[in-house]
Amino acid sequence: MRAMILAAGRGERMRPLTDTLPKPLLSAAGKPLIVWHIERLVRAGIREIIINHAWLGRLIEERLGDGRRYGASISYSAERQALETAGGIAQALEFFRGEPFLVVNGDIWCEWDPAEALGRQTELAAAGLQAWLLLVPNPPHHPGGDFELQADGMLRDPATDTPQAAASRDAGAADMGGAGSHTAADAHPGARTARGAAAASGSDTRRYTYSGIGVYHPALFSGLEKDRPAPLAPLLRQAMRAGQVAGRVYEGTWIDVGTPQRLREIDCLLGARAGTASAAASPKAC
């Protein structure tokens, strides 16, 4: 299986940290965020990875190289301008050779095991689905969630139940993934575990927040033009209306590392596990 890490965003909310360094290279516990992703993918047996980049992308290539030091084979998809999530994936589509693939937002922290994606890849091909999404319980700042998980494991978006609602929602849709985009996760950040967040939000447990991790079939992006910005949200909603998107809820730690404060959160978390506090997060800050 092949994977893509989305890393093309400008990281406006991380400024001034991202004025001279792309967000994926910001460190948590002494290691760049994107390296944590790469190492987790390699441990799961997913070694062929493509990374898209735009802002200061050459620094990402210089830091990671061809990936051999991590046990991976890394390719790059350079974007002259950030193409948003679906546009970035469409530009890199040939890399996946017509097979379902894993996509991970570069600006999240999640302890989910990517090895599950291997089984989901087979599931998509066998069932004729276009996407499988990993969801997380709704955080306090987003009690309504994004998508509804039905009893059969399929996802739906109640906001698109009518053609009028769908047209209105899609016309103003924010991008649903990628470092630097304003996803649902970005709007209601922080670290949380499933049970604690569900209790805090007080929301219907059947509706959840998209984590920024998904397995996609290339067919979902077949209608997009290369080199044209395109958000992911409208594609997912259209596929949901056709009954072609499945998912499940992840009951573990998930953090949207979208601001300096949340970078300190993950730095403190990892530092506490290691029994030390890194330079980015002093004991006082933690």
Side-chain angles (χ1 to χ4, degrees), residues 132-161:
W132 176 89
L133 306 182
L134 191 71
L135 307 176
V136 293
N138 304 328
H141 299 293
H142 189 58
D146 295 314
F147 305 123
E148 187 174 286
L149 178 62
Q150 302 180 97
D152 59 0
M154 303 301 291
L155 301 186
R156 65 185 290 269
D157 180 9
T160 63
D161 281 346

PDB file of all heavy atoms in Angstrom, residues 132-161:
ATOM      1  N   TRP A 132     -12.926   5.588   2.918  1.00  0.00           N
ATOM      2  CA  TRP A 132     -13.103   5.122   4.293  1.00  0.00           C
ATOM      3  C   TRP A 132     -12.433   6.158   5.184  1.00  0.00           C
ATOM      4  O   TRP A 132     -11.255   6.482   4.986  1.00  0.00           O
ATOM      5  CB  TRP A 132     -12.471   3.753   4.501  1.00  0.00           C
ATOM      6  CG  TRP A 132     -12.546   3.279   5.922  1.00  0.00           C
ATOM      7  CD1 TRP A 132     -13.546   2.572   6.512  1.00  0.00           C
ATOM      8  CD2 TRP A 132     -11.551   3.485   6.954  1.00  0.00           C
ATOM      9  NE1 TRP A 132     -13.256   2.331   7.827  1.00  0.00           N
ATOM     10  CE2 TRP A 132     -12.040   2.883   8.128  1.00  0.00           C
ATOM     11  CE3 TRP A 132     -10.307   4.118   6.982  1.00  0.00           C
ATOM     12  CZ2 TRP A 132     -11.325   2.895   9.325  1.00  0.00           C
ATOM     13  CZ3 TRP A 132      -9.591   4.149   8.178  1.00  0.00           C
ATOM     14  CH2 TRP A 132     -10.112   3.534   9.329  1.00  0.00           C
ATOM     15  N   LEU A 133     -13.170   6.707   6.149  1.00  0.00           N
ATOM     16  CA  LEU A 133     -12.663   7.787   6.987  1.00  0.00           C
ATOM     17  C   LEU A 133     -12.533   7.360   8.441  1.00  0.00           C
ATOM     18  O   LEU A 133     -13.417   6.682   8.983  1.00  0.00           O
ATOM     19  CB  LEU A 133     -13.590   9.002   6.922  1.00  0.00           C
ATOM     20  CG  LEU A 133     -13.931   9.565   5.540  1.00  0.00           C
ATOM     21  CD1 LEU A 133     -14.814  10.806   5.694  1.00  0.00           C
ATOM     22  CD2 LEU A 133     -12.689   9.870   4.736  1.00  0.00           C
ATOM     23  N   LEU A 134     -11.454   7.776   9.064  1.00  0.00           N
ATOM     24  CA  LEU A 134     -11.292   7.595  10.501  1.00  0.00           C
ATOM     25  C   LEU A 134     -11.882   8.813  11.190  1.00  0.00           C
ATOM     26  O   LEU A 134     -11.497   9.957  10.901  1.00  0.00           O
ATOM     27  CB  LEU A 134      -9.814   7.446  10.862  1.00  0.00           C
ATOM     28  CG  LEU A 134      -9.537   6.997  12.298  1.00  0.00           C
ATOM     29  CD1 LEU A 134      -9.943   5.538  12.488  1.00  0.00           C
ATOM     30  CD2 LEU A 134      -8.056   7.184  12.653  1.00  0.00           C
ATOM     31  N   LEU A 135     -12.829   8.575  12.088  1.00  0.00           N
ATOM     32  CA  LEU A 135     -13.492   9.652  12.812  1.00  0.00           C
ATOM     33  C   LEU A 135     -13.026   9.680  14.256  1.00  0.00           C
ATOM     34  O   LEU A 135     -12.522   8.683  14.776  1.00  0.00           O
ATOM     35  CB  LEU A 135     -15.011   9.454  12.766  1.00  0.00           C
ATOM     36  CG  LEU A 135     -15.636   9.264  11.384  1.00  0.00           C
ATOM     37  CD1 LEU A 135     -17.132   8.987  11.527  1.00  0.00           C
ATOM     38  CD2 LEU A 135     -15.391  10.477  10.503  1.00  0.00           C
ATOM     39  N   VAL A 136     -13.213  10.825  14.900  1.00  0.00           N
ATOM     40  CA  VAL A 136     -12.922  10.952  16.331  1.00  0.00           C
ATOM     41  C   VAL A 136     -14.137  11.578  17.012  1.00  0.00           C
ATOM     42  O   VAL A 136     -14.927  12.282  16.381  1.00  0.00           O
ATOM     43  CB  VAL A 136     -11.670  11.821  16.588  1.00  0.00           C
ATOM     44  CG1 VAL A 136     -10.424  11.130  16.062  1.00  0.00           C
ATOM     45  CG2 VAL A 136     -11.819  13.206  15.977  1.00  0.00           C
ATOM     46  N   PRO A 137     -14.313  11.326  18.305  1.00  0.00           N
ATOM     47  CA  PRO A 137     -15.432  11.945  19.035  1.00  0.00           C
ATOM     48  C   PRO A 137     -15.364  13.466  18.971  1.00  0.00           C
ATOM     49  O   PRO A 137     -14.289  14.057  18.925  1.00  0.00           O
ATOM     50  CB  PRO A 137     -15.240  11.432  20.466  1.00  0.00           C
ATOM     51  CG  PRO A 137     -14.502  10.145  20.299  1.00  0.00           C
ATOM     52  CD  PRO A 137     -13.566  10.380  19.161  1.00  0.00           C
ATOM     53  N   ASN A 138     -16.520  14.073  18.996  1.00  0.00           N
ATOM     54  CA  ASN A 138     -16.590  15.525  18.849  1.00  0.00           C
ATOM     55  C   ASN A 138     -15.982  16.243  20.047  1.00  0.00           C
ATOM     56  O   ASN A 138     -16.380  16.006  21.193  1.00  0.00           O
ATOM     57  CB  ASN A 138     -18.047  15.964  18.699  1.00  0.00           C
ATOM     58  CG  ASN A 138     -18.726  15.275  17.546  1.00  0.00           C
ATOM     59  OD1 ASN A 138     -18.091  14.960  16.545  1.00  0.00           O
ATOM     60  ND2 ASN A 138     -20.019  15.018  17.681  1.00  0.00           N
ATOM     61  N   PRO A 139     -15.045  17.133  19.804  1.00  0.00           N
ATOM     62  CA  PRO A 139     -14.469  17.916  20.900  1.00  0.00           C
ATOM     63  C   PRO A 139     -15.470  18.971  21.371  1.00  0.00           C
ATOM     64  O   PRO A 139     -16.457  19.262  20.686  1.00  0.00           O
ATOM     65  CB  PRO A 139     -13.234  18.554  20.254  1.00  0.00           C
ATOM     66  CG  PRO A 139     -13.570  18.618  18.813  1.00  0.00           C
ATOM     67  CD  PRO A 139     -14.408  17.420  18.507  1.00  0.00           C
ATOM     68  N   PRO A 140     -15.230  19.566  22.507  1.00  0.00           N
ATOM     69  CA  PRO A 140     -16.185  20.534  23.072  1.00  0.00           C
ATOM     70  C   PRO A 140     -16.521  21.693  22.151  1.00  0.00           C
ATOM     71  O   PRO A 140     -17.647  22.190  22.161  1.00  0.00           O
ATOM     72  CB  PRO A 140     -15.481  21.021  24.343  1.00  0.00           C
ATOM     73  CG  PRO A 140     -14.597  19.891  24.731  1.00  0.00           C
ATOM     74  CD  PRO A 140     -14.114  19.300  23.442  1.00  0.00           C
ATOM     75  N   HIS A 141     -15.564  22.123  21.338  1.00  0.00           N
ATOM     76  CA  HIS A 141     -15.805  23.278  20.479  1.00  0.00           C
ATOM     77  C   HIS A 141     -16.522  22.920  19.175  1.00  0.00           C
ATOM     78  O   HIS A 141     -16.803  23.797  18.362  1.00  0.00           O
ATOM     79  CB  HIS A 141     -14.482  23.982  20.155  1.00  0.00           C
ATOM     80  CG  HIS A 141     -13.775  24.487  21.362  1.00  0.00           C
ATOM     81  ND1 HIS A 141     -14.277  25.503  22.140  1.00  0.00           N
ATOM     82  CD2 HIS A 141     -12.609  24.116  21.945  1.00  0.00           C
ATOM     83  CE1 HIS A 141     -13.454  25.745  23.137  1.00  0.00           C
ATOM     84  NE2 HIS A 141     -12.434  24.905  23.040  1.00  0.00           N
ATOM     85  N   HIS A 142     -16.789  21.658  18.978  1.00  0.00           N
ATOM     86  CA  HIS A 142     -17.476  21.232  17.749  1.00  0.00           C
ATOM     87  C   HIS A 142     -18.472  20.114  18.088  1.00  0.00           C
ATOM     88  O   HIS A 142     -18.367  18.997  17.602  1.00  0.00           O
ATOM     89  CB  HIS A 142     -16.449  20.745  16.731  1.00  0.00           C
ATOM     90  CG  HIS A 142     -17.003  20.489  15.365  1.00  0.00           C
ATOM     91  ND1 HIS A 142     -17.646  21.443  14.618  1.00  0.00           N
ATOM     92  CD2 HIS A 142     -16.991  19.370  14.604  1.00  0.00           C
ATOM     93  CE1 HIS A 142     -17.999  20.929  13.451  1.00  0.00           C
ATOM     94  NE2 HIS A 142     -17.621  19.672  13.426  1.00  0.00           N
ATOM     95  N   PRO A 143     -19.426  20.398  18.951  1.00  0.00           N
ATOM     96  CA  PRO A 143     -20.325  19.345  19.442  1.00  0.00           C
ATOM     97  C   PRO A 143     -21.190  18.731  18.361  1.00  0.00           C
ATOM     98  O   PRO A 143     -21.656  17.609  18.519  1.00  0.00           O
ATOM     99  CB  PRO A 143     -21.180  20.070  20.491  1.00  0.00           C
ATOM    100  CG  PRO A 143     -21.124  21.511  20.089  1.00  0.00           C
ATOM    101  CD  PRO A 143     -19.744  21.715  19.542  1.00  0.00           C
ATOM    102  N   GLY A 144     -21.395  19.444  17.249  1.00  0.00           N
ATOM    103  CA  GLY A 144     -22.233  18.902  16.191  1.00  0.00           C
ATOM    104  C   GLY A 144     -21.542  17.890  15.309  1.00  0.00           C
ATOM    105  O   GLY A 144     -22.197  17.145  14.583  1.00  0.00           O
ATOM    106  N   GLY A 145     -20.229  17.848  15.330  1.00  0.00           N
ATOM    107  CA  GLY A 145     -19.490  16.906  14.514  1.00  0.00           C
ATOM    108  C   GLY A 145     -19.556  17.214  13.033  1.00  0.00           C
ATOM    109  O   GLY A 145     -20.043  18.267  12.609  1.00  0.00           O
ATOM    110  N   ASP A 146     -19.060  16.283  12.218  1.00  0.00           N
ATOM    111  CA  ASP A 146     -19.033  16.441  10.770  1.00  0.00           C
ATOM    112  C   ASP A 146     -19.960  15.462  10.065  1.00  0.00           C
ATOM    113  O   ASP A 146     -20.809  15.855   9.283  1.00  0.00           O
ATOM    114  CB  ASP A 146     -17.608  16.236  10.236  1.00  0.00           C
ATOM    115  CG  ASP A 146     -16.656  17.302  10.720  1.00  0.00           C
ATOM    116  OD1 ASP A 146     -17.029  18.490  10.662  1.00  0.00           O
ATOM    117  OD2 ASP A 146     -15.538  16.955  11.154  1.00  0.00           O
ATOM    118  N   PHE A 147     -19.777  14.177  10.358  1.00  0.00           N
ATOM    119  CA  PHE A 147     -20.514  13.143   9.649  1.00  0.00           C
ATOM    120  C   PHE A 147     -21.182  12.183  10.617  1.00  0.00           C
ATOM    121  O   PHE A 147     -20.702  11.961  11.728  1.00  0.00           O
ATOM    122  CB  PHE A 147     -19.581  12.353   8.723  1.00  0.00           C
ATOM    123  CG  PHE A 147     -18.820  13.229   7.767  1.00  0.00           C
ATOM    124  CD1 PHE A 147     -17.436  13.205   7.728  1.00  0.00           C
ATOM    125  CD2 PHE A 147     -19.488  14.089   6.910  1.00  0.00           C
ATOM    126  CE1 PHE A 147     -16.729  14.014   6.859  1.00  0.00           C
ATOM    127  CE2 PHE A 147     -18.791  14.907   6.033  1.00  0.00           C
ATOM    128  CZ  PHE A 147     -17.409  14.873   6.005  1.00  0.00           C
ATOM    129  N   GLU A 148     -22.276  11.605  10.176  1.00  0.00           N
ATOM    130  CA  GLU A 148     -23.007  10.651  10.997  1.00  0.00           C
ATOM    131  C   GLU A 148     -22.588   9.230  10.639  1.00  0.00           C
ATOM    132  O   GLU A 148     -22.577   8.846   9.473  1.00  0.00           O
ATOM    133  CB  GLU A 148     -24.511  10.822  10.790  1.00  0.00           C
ATOM    134  CG  GLU A 148     -25.352   9.980  11.740  1.00  0.00           C
ATOM    135  CD  GLU A 148     -26.829  10.288  11.600  1.00  0.00           C
ATOM    136  OE1 GLU A 148     -27.251  11.356  12.075  1.00  0.00           O
ATOM    137  OE2 GLU A 148     -27.539   9.464  11.010  1.00  0.00           O
ATOM    138  N   LEU A 149     -22.240   8.471  11.651  1.00  0.00           N
ATOM    139  CA  LEU A 149     -21.876   7.063  11.469  1.00  0.00           C
ATOM    140  C   LEU A 149     -23.119   6.212  11.678  1.00  0.00           C
ATOM    141  O   LEU A 149     -23.686   6.175  12.762  1.00  0.00           O
ATOM    142  CB  LEU A 149     -20.781   6.666  12.460  1.00  0.00           C
ATOM    143  CG  LEU A 149     -20.322   5.208  12.414  1.00  0.00           C
ATOM    144  CD1 LEU A 149     -19.711   4.865  11.056  1.00  0.00           C
ATOM    145  CD2 LEU A 149     -19.319   4.939  13.541  1.00  0.00           C
ATOM    146  N   GLN A 150     -23.534   5.511  10.641  1.00  0.00           N
ATOM    147  CA  GLN A 150     -24.724   4.686  10.712  1.00  0.00           C
ATOM    148  C   GLN A 150     -24.387   3.293  11.246  1.00  0.00           C
ATOM    149  O   GLN A 150     -23.234   2.900  11.330  1.00  0.00           O
ATOM    150  CB  GLN A 150     -25.366   4.585   9.322  1.00  0.00           C
ATOM    151  CG  GLN A 150     -25.734   5.957   8.758  1.00  0.00           C
ATOM    152  CD  GLN A 150     -26.374   5.870   7.396  1.00  0.00           C
ATOM    153  OE1 GLN A 150     -27.602   5.889   7.274  1.00  0.00           O
ATOM    154  NE2 GLN A 150     -25.557   5.762   6.351  1.00  0.00           N
ATOM    155  N   ALA A 151     -25.397   2.560  11.592  1.00  0.00           N
ATOM    156  CA  ALA A 151     -25.211   1.245  12.203  1.00  0.00           C
ATOM    157  C   ALA A 151     -24.460   0.281  11.295  1.00  0.00           C
ATOM    158  O   ALA A 151     -23.762  -0.618  11.770  1.00  0.00           O
ATOM    159  CB  ALA A 151     -26.566   0.655  12.598  1.00  0.00           C
ATOM    160  N   ASP A 152     -24.590   0.459   9.993  1.00  0.00           N
ATOM    161  CA  ASP A 152     -23.917  -0.439   9.060  1.00  0.00           C
ATOM    162  C   ASP A 152     -22.494   0.001   8.733  1.00  0.00           C
ATOM    163  O   ASP A 152     -21.835  -0.580   7.858  1.00  0.00           O
ATOM    164  CB  ASP A 152     -24.721  -0.571   7.761  1.00  0.00           C
ATOM    165  CG  ASP A 152     -24.921   0.768   7.052  1.00  0.00           C
ATOM    166  OD1 ASP A 152     -24.433   1.806   7.562  1.00  0.00           O
ATOM    167  OD2 ASP A 152     -25.557   0.772   5.979  1.00  0.00           O
ATOM    168  N   GLY A 153     -21.993   1.037   9.428  1.00  0.00           N
ATOM    169  CA  GLY A 153     -20.631   1.504   9.194  1.00  0.00           C
ATOM    170  C   GLY A 153     -20.498   2.502   8.060  1.00  0.00           C
ATOM    171  O   GLY A 153     -19.389   2.968   7.784  1.00  0.00           O
ATOM    172  N   MET A 154     -21.600   2.877   7.420  1.00  0.00           N
ATOM    173  CA  MET A 154     -21.559   3.863   6.349  1.00  0.00           C
ATOM    174  C   MET A 154     -21.721   5.264   6.939  1.00  0.00           C
ATOM    175  O   MET A 154     -22.313   5.439   8.002  1.00  0.00           O
ATOM    176  CB  MET A 154     -22.656   3.588   5.322  1.00  0.00           C
ATOM    177  CG  MET A 154     -22.596   2.196   4.713  1.00  0.00           C
ATOM    178  SD  MET A 154     -21.017   1.855   3.880  1.00  0.00           S
ATOM    179  CE  MET A 154     -21.150   2.972   2.477  1.00  0.00           C
ATOM    180  N   LEU A 155     -21.210   6.253   6.218  1.00  0.00           N
ATOM    181  CA  LEU A 155     -21.272   7.630   6.686  1.00  0.00           C
ATOM    182  C   LEU A 155     -22.263   8.433   5.865  1.00  0.00           C
ATOM    183  O   LEU A 155     -22.454   8.184   4.672  1.00  0.00           O
ATOM    184  CB  LEU A 155     -19.895   8.299   6.587  1.00  0.00           C
ATOM    185  CG  LEU A 155     -18.743   7.660   7.353  1.00  0.00           C
ATOM    186  CD1 LEU A 155     -17.505   8.541   7.250  1.00  0.00           C
ATOM    187  CD2 LEU A 155     -19.101   7.401   8.800  1.00  0.00           C
ATOM    188  N   ARG A 156     -22.869   9.400   6.533  1.00  0.00           N
ATOM    189  CA  ARG A 156     -23.749  10.330   5.841  1.00  0.00           C
ATOM    190  C   ARG A 156     -23.565  11.713   6.440  1.00  0.00           C
ATOM    191  O   ARG A 156     -23.120  11.863   7.588  1.00  0.00           O
ATOM    192  CB  ARG A 156     -25.217   9.896   5.943  1.00  0.00           C
ATOM    193  CG  ARG A 156     -25.774   9.916   7.364  1.00  0.00           C
ATOM    194  CD  ARG A 156     -27.190   9.355   7.429  1.00  0.00           C
ATOM    195  NE  ARG A 156     -28.138  10.246   6.784  1.00  0.00           N
ATOM    196  CZ  ARG A 156     -28.798  11.210   7.445  1.00  0.00           C
ATOM    197  NH1 ARG A 156     -28.585  11.397   8.744  1.00  0.00           N
ATOM    198  NH2 ARG A 156     -29.659  11.978   6.822  1.00  0.00           N
ATOM    199  N   ASP A 157     -23.887  12.721   5.643  1.00  0.00           N
ATOM    200  CA  ASP A 157     -23.828  14.096   6.101  1.00  0.00           C
ATOM    201  C   ASP A 157     -25.236  14.655   6.086  1.00  0.00           C
ATOM    202  O   ASP A 157     -25.774  14.939   5.020  1.00  0.00           O
ATOM    203  CB  ASP A 157     -22.915  14.915   5.190  1.00  0.00           C
ATOM    204  CG  ASP A 157     -22.828  16.375   5.622  1.00  0.00           C
ATOM    205  OD1 ASP A 157     -23.342  16.691   6.710  1.00  0.00           O
ATOM    206  OD2 ASP A 157     -22.253  17.176   4.871  1.00  0.00           O
ATOM    207  N   PRO A 158     -25.884  14.780   7.249  1.00  0.00           N
ATOM    208  CA  PRO A 158     -27.268  15.257   7.286  1.00  0.00           C
ATOM    209  C   PRO A 158     -27.466  16.597   6.606  1.00  0.00           C
ATOM    210  O   PRO A 158     -28.563  16.907   6.140  1.00  0.00           O
ATOM    211  CB  PRO A 158     -27.567  15.334   8.784  1.00  0.00           C
ATOM    212  CG  PRO A 158     -26.614  14.370   9.406  1.00  0.00           C
ATOM    213  CD  PRO A 158     -25.372  14.443   8.574  1.00  0.00           C
ATOM    214  N   ALA A 159     -26.426  17.408   6.533  1.00  0.00           N
ATOM    215  CA  ALA A 159     -26.561  18.726   5.927  1.00  0.00           C
ATOM    216  C   ALA A 159     -26.810  18.637   4.427  1.00  0.00           C
ATOM    217  O   ALA A 159     -27.217  19.608   3.807  1.00  0.00           O
ATOM    218  CB  ALA A 159     -25.311  19.562   6.175  1.00  0.00           C
ATOM    219  N   THR A 160     -26.567  17.484   3.819  1.00  0.00           N
ATOM    220  CA  THR A 160     -26.759  17.350   2.374  1.00  0.00           C
ATOM    221  C   THR A 160     -27.953  16.468   2.052  1.00  0.00           C
ATOM    222  O   THR A 160     -28.044  15.894   0.968  1.00  0.00           O
ATOM    223  CB  THR A 160     -25.502  16.760   1.711  1.00  0.00           C
ATOM    224  OG1 THR A 160     -25.276  15.433   2.228  1.00  0.00           O
ATOM    225  CG2 THR A 160     -24.295  17.614   1.982  1.00  0.00           C
ATOM    226  N   ASP A 161     -28.894  16.370   2.963  1.00  0.00           N
ATOM    227  CA  ASP A 161     -30.073  15.540   2.715  1.00  0.00           C
ATOM    228  C   ASP A 161     -30.953  16.099   1.601  1.00  0.00           C
ATOM    229  O   ASP A 161     -31.686  15.376   0.953  1.00  0.00           O
ATOM    230  CB  ASP A 161     -30.907  15.406   3.995  1.00  0.00           C
ATOM    231  CG  ASP A 161     -30.310  14.373   4.942  1.00  0.00           C
ATOM    232  OD1 ASP A 161     -29.444  13.611   4.492  1.00  0.00           O
ATOM    233  OD2 ASP A 161     -30.717  14.353   6.111  1.00  0.00           O
TER     234      ASP A 161
END
